[in-house]
Structures are given as C-alpha cells and as structure tokens.
Amino acid sequence: MSRLLLCVLLAAVAALTSFSAFTASHHHDMHQMAPADAPVYASQGIVKKADAQGVAIAHQAIPALNWPPMTMTFAQPTTPVALKPGDAVAFTFRQTAEGYQLISATPAK
C-alpha cells in the first residue's frame, strides 16, 4: 500500500511541476504580447459610429489578418480621436487583451 501511495504522490508532483512550467511560460507569452509589442495593422474605411466606448468602422479587407471587408468596433485610443459618422478615414490599430484598439485615424485621401 505504501508503494502505491508513493507512486500517486510522485505522479502528483510531476503533474504540478508540468502545470507550473506551463503557467509560467504562458504568462511570459502573454507579457510578450503587450500592446506596445503587438503588430500594427492599417486600413481605410468609413466611420459608422464614434463615441467614448469606441469607433465603428466599415473597413476594407485586411489581407495581413485574412479579414474580408466588414464593420467592426475598435476601442478608442488613449487620447480619443474626434470622428463622426460618414468620415472616410485611413486608420491603424492593434490587438490588445481587451480586443482591437484604434491607434490613429486620419482623413482618407
């Protein structure tokens, strides 16, 4: 019986060690994807809605993300940009832990 208990304890220790290593590496990976390190994407589109919660833009396809044209809402940047529905914009954004965040938006040419 003590041999069985020893085997169970060793298996538990091995499982906990593996889990700890996974958790540490996963946390490290999340830290590496901090917003400042996340890739920046660019597109053009038409503003559909803009308020303190976010900016909805009907944008062109974004090949780098394999996205078709669509309308989606981006979180406002740290310093919100003044946009209104109907504005044609060239914009940049990145992915954050909370979703996609607008970085900049300027009148499209």
Side-chain angles (χ1 to χ4, degrees), residues 47-60:
V47 175
K48 296 297 183 180
K49 181 185 105 168
D51 58 27
Q53 282 68 48
V55 179
I57 301 174
H59 63 75
Q60 299 174 355

Side-chain angles (χ1 to χ4, degrees), residues 42-82:
S43 189
Q44 293 188 0
I46 305 293
V47 175
K48 296 297 183 180
K49 181 185 105 168
D51 58 27
Q53 282 68 48
V55 179
I57 301 174
H59 63 75
Q60 299 174 355
I62 302 174
L65 292 168
N66 201 25
W67 286 359
M70 68 176 111
T71 300
M72 63 184 291
T73 300
F74 299 87
Q76 283 275 10
T78 307
T79 304
V81 292

Side-chain angles (χ1 to χ4, degrees), residues 17-107:
T17 303
S18 295
F19 180 74
S20 294
F22 169 77
T23 304
S25 70
H26 183 68
H27 177 69
H28 180 69
D29 291 344
M30 291 298 287
H31 179 68
Q32 286 180 341
M33 268 313 267
D37 297 341
V40 174
Y41 302 98
S43 189
Q44 293 188 0
I46 305 293
V47 175
K48 296 297 183 180
K49 181 185 105 168
D51 58 27
Q53 282 68 48
V55 179
I57 301 174
H59 63 75
Q60 299 174 355
I62 302 174
L65 292 168
N66 201 25
W67 286 359
M70 68 176 111
T71 300
M72 63 184 291
T73 300
F74 299 87
Q76 283 275 10
T78 307
T79 304
V81 292
L83 299 170
K84 62 186 183 312
D87 286 350
V89 294
F91 67 99
T92 59
F93 67 96
R94 72 177 65 176
Q95 185 173 9
T96 68
E98 292 80 34
Y100 292 94
Q101 183 174 28
L102 197 62
I103 297 171
S104 68
T106 58

